[in-house]
Coordinates of all heavy atoms in Angstrom, one line a residue:
E1 N -21.3 -59.9 -56.9 CA -20.3 -59.9 -58.0 C -19.0 -59.2 -57.5 O -19.0 -58.4 -56.6 CB -20.8 -59.1 -59.2 CG -22.0 -59.7 -59.8 CD -22.7 -58.7 -60.8 OE1 -22.0 -58.5 -61.9 OE2 -23.8 -58.3 -60.5
D2 N -17.9 -59.5 -58.1 CA -16.6 -59.0 -57.8 C -16.6 -57.5 -58.3 O -16.8 -57.3 -59.5 CB -15.5 -59.8 -58.4 CG -14.1 -59.4 -58.0 OD1 -14.0 -58.9 -56.8 OD2 -13.1 -59.4 -58.8
I3 N -16.3 -56.6 -57.4 CA -16.3 -55.2 -57.8 C -14.8 -54.8 -58.1 O -13.9 -54.9 -57.3 CB -16.8 -54.3 -56.6 CG1 -18.2 -54.7 -56.2 CG2 -16.8 -52.8 -57.0 CD1 -19.3 -54.6 -57.2
T4 N -14.6 -54.3 -59.3 CA -13.3 -53.9 -59.7 C -13.4 -52.5 -60.3 O -14.5 -52.0 -60.6 CB -12.7 -54.8 -60.8 OG1 -13.6 -54.8 -61.9 CG2 -12.4 -56.2 -60.3
S5 N -12.4 -51.7 -60.3 CA -12.4 -50.4 -60.9 C -12.8 -50.5 -62.4 O -12.2 -51.3 -63.1 CB -11.1 -49.7 -60.8 OG -11.1 -48.4 -61.3
P6 N -13.8 -49.8 -62.8 CA -14.3 -49.9 -64.2 C -13.4 -49.0 -65.2 O -14.0 -48.4 -66.1 CB -15.7 -49.4 -64.1 CG -15.7 -48.5 -63.0 CD -14.7 -49.0 -62.0
T7 N -12.1 -49.0 -65.0 CA -11.3 -48.1 -65.7 C -11.5 -48.2 -67.2 O -11.6 -47.2 -68.0 CB -9.8 -48.3 -65.4 OG1 -9.6 -48.1 -64.0 CG2 -8.9 -47.4 -66.1
F8 N -11.5 -49.4 -67.7 CA -11.6 -49.6 -69.2 C -13.0 -49.7 -69.7 O -13.3 -49.5 -70.8 CB -10.8 -50.9 -69.6 CG -9.3 -50.7 -69.3 CD1 -8.7 -51.3 -68.2 CD2 -8.5 -49.9 -70.1 CE1 -7.4 -51.1 -68.0 CE2 -7.2 -49.7 -69.8 CZ -6.6 -50.3 -68.8
N9 N -13.9 -50.1 -68.8 CA -15.4 -50.2 -69.1 C -16.0 -48.8 -69.0 O -17.1 -48.6 -69.6 CB -16.1 -51.2 -68.2 CG -15.5 -52.6 -68.3 OD1 -14.3 -52.7 -68.1 ND2 -16.3 -53.5 -68.6
I10 N -15.5 -48.0 -68.2 CA -16.0 -46.7 -67.8 C -17.2 -46.8 -66.8 O -17.3 -46.2 -65.8 CB -16.4 -45.8 -69.0 CG1 -15.1 -45.5 -69.8 CG2 -16.9 -44.4 -68.5 CD1 -15.3 -44.9 -71.1
I11 N -18.3 -47.6 -67.2 CA -19.4 -47.8 -66.4 C -19.7 -49.3 -66.2 O -19.8 -50.0 -67.2 CB -20.7 -47.1 -67.0 CG1 -20.4 -45.6 -67.2 CG2 -21.9 -47.3 -66.1 CD1 -21.5 -44.9 -68.0
K12 N -19.9 -49.7 -65.0 CA -20.3 -51.1 -64.7 C -21.6 -51.0 -64.0 O -21.8 -50.2 -63.0 CB -19.3 -51.8 -63.9 CG -18.0 -52.2 -64.6 CD -17.1 -53.2 -63.8 CE -15.9 -53.6 -64.6 NZ -15.1 -54.5 -63.8
E13 N -22.6 -51.8 -64.4 CA -23.9 -51.8 -63.7 C -24.0 -53.1 -63.0 O -23.8 -54.2 -63.5 CB -25.0 -51.7 -64.8 CG -25.0 -50.4 -65.6 CD -26.1 -50.3 -66.5 OE1 -27.1 -51.0 -66.4 OE2 -26.0 -49.4 -67.4
Y14 N -24.4 -53.0 -61.7 CA -24.7 -54.2 -60.9 C -26.1 -54.1 -60.4 O -26.5 -53.2 -59.8 CB -23.7 -54.2 -59.6 CG -22.3 -54.1 -60.0 CD1 -21.6 -52.9 -60.1 CD2 -21.6 -55.3 -60.3 CE1 -20.2 -52.9 -60.4 CE2 -20.2 -55.3 -60.6 CZ -19.6 -54.1 -60.7 OH -18.2 -54.1 -61.0
T15 N -26.9 -55.1 -60.8 CA -28.3 -55.0 -60.5 C -28.8 -56.2 -59.6 O -30.0 -56.3 -59.4 CB -29.1 -55.1 -61.9 OG1 -28.7 -56.3 -62.5 CG2 -28.8 -53.9 -62.7
T16 N -27.9 -56.9 -58.9 CA -28.3 -58.0 -58.1 C -28.5 -57.6 -56.6 O -28.9 -58.5 -55.9 CB -27.3 -59.1 -58.2 OG1 -26.0 -58.6 -57.8 CG2 -27.1 -59.7 -59.6
G17 N -28.2 -56.4 -56.3 CA -28.3 -56.0 -54.8 C -29.7 -55.4 -54.5 O -30.6 -55.4 -55.3
E18 N -29.7 -54.8 -53.3 CA -30.9 -54.1 -52.8 C -31.4 -53.0 -53.8 O -32.6 -52.8 -53.9 CB -30.7 -53.5 -51.4 CG -30.4 -54.6 -50.4 CD -30.0 -53.9 -49.1 OE1 -30.7 -52.9 -48.7 OE2 -29.1 -54.3 -48.4
L19 N -30.4 -52.3 -54.3 CA -30.7 -51.3 -55.3 C -29.6 -51.4 -56.4 O -28.5 -51.9 -56.1 CB -30.5 -49.8 -54.7 CG -31.6 -49.3 -53.8 CD1 -31.2 -48.0 -53.2 CD2 -32.9 -49.2 -54.6
P20 N -29.9 -51.0 -57.6 CA -28.9 -51.1 -58.7 C -27.7 -50.2 -58.3 O -27.9 -49.1 -57.7 CB -29.5 -50.5 -59.9 CG -31.0 -50.7 -59.6 CD -31.2 -50.5 -58.2
L21 N -26.5 -50.6 -58.6 CA -25.3 -49.8 -58.4 C -24.7 -49.5 -59.8 O -24.4 -50.4 -60.5 CB -24.3 -50.5 -57.5 CG -22.9 -49.9 -57.3 CD1 -23.1 -48.5 -56.6 CD2 -22.0 -50.8 -56.6
Y22 N -24.4 -48.2 -60.0 CA -23.8 -47.8 -61.3 C -22.4 -47.3 -60.9 O -22.3 -46.2 -60.3 CB -24.6 -46.8 -62.0 CG -26.0 -47.2 -62.2 CD1 -27.1 -46.6 -61.5 CD2 -26.3 -48.3 -63.0 CE1 -28.4 -47.0 -61.6 CE2 -27.7 -48.7 -63.1 CZ -28.7 -48.1 -62.4 OH -30.0 -48.5 -62.6
H23 N -21.4 -48.0 -61.2 CA -20.0 -47.7 -60.7 C -19.3 -47.2 -61.9 O -19.1 -47.9 -62.9 CB -19.4 -49.0 -60.2 CG -18.0 -48.8 -59.6 ND1 -17.1 -49.8 -59.4 CD2 -17.3 -47.7 -59.1 CE1 -16.0 -49.4 -58.9 NE2 -16.1 -48.1 -58.7
M24 N -18.8 -46.0 -61.8 CA -18.1 -45.3 -63.0 C -16.7 -44.9 -62.6 O -16.4 -44.6 -61.5 CB -18.9 -44.0 -63.4 CG -20.3 -44.3 -63.7 SD -21.1 -42.7 -64.0 CE -22.8 -43.3 -64.2
D25 N -15.8 -45.0 -63.6 CA -14.5 -44.5 -63.5 C -14.2 -43.6 -64.7 O -14.1 -44.1 -65.8 CB -13.5 -45.7 -63.5 CG -12.0 -45.2 -63.3 OD1 -11.7 -44.1 -63.8 OD2 -11.2 -45.9 -62.7
V26 N -14.2 -42.3 -64.5 CA -14.1 -41.4 -65.6 C -12.7 -40.9 -65.9 O -12.5 -39.9 -66.6 CB -15.1 -40.2 -65.4 CG1 -16.6 -40.8 -65.4 CG2 -14.9 -39.5 -64.2

């Protein structure tokens, strides 16, 4: 998936990789 800064979402969850990635912008 395209990774963008989650500024407005705060938390984006990506679960398609080797491990889940929880990308946060606080």
Side-chain angles (χ1 to χ4, degrees):
E1 298 170 67
D2 188 33
I3 305 298
T4 58
S5 181
T7 303
F8 296 104
N9 301 55
I10 301 168
I11 302 171
K12 287 189 177 178
E13 297 184 18
Y14 302 93
T15 57
T16 60
E18 294 175 43
L19 286 172
L21 174 64
Y22 309 113
H23 184 200
M24 304 177 185
D25 183 327
V26 297

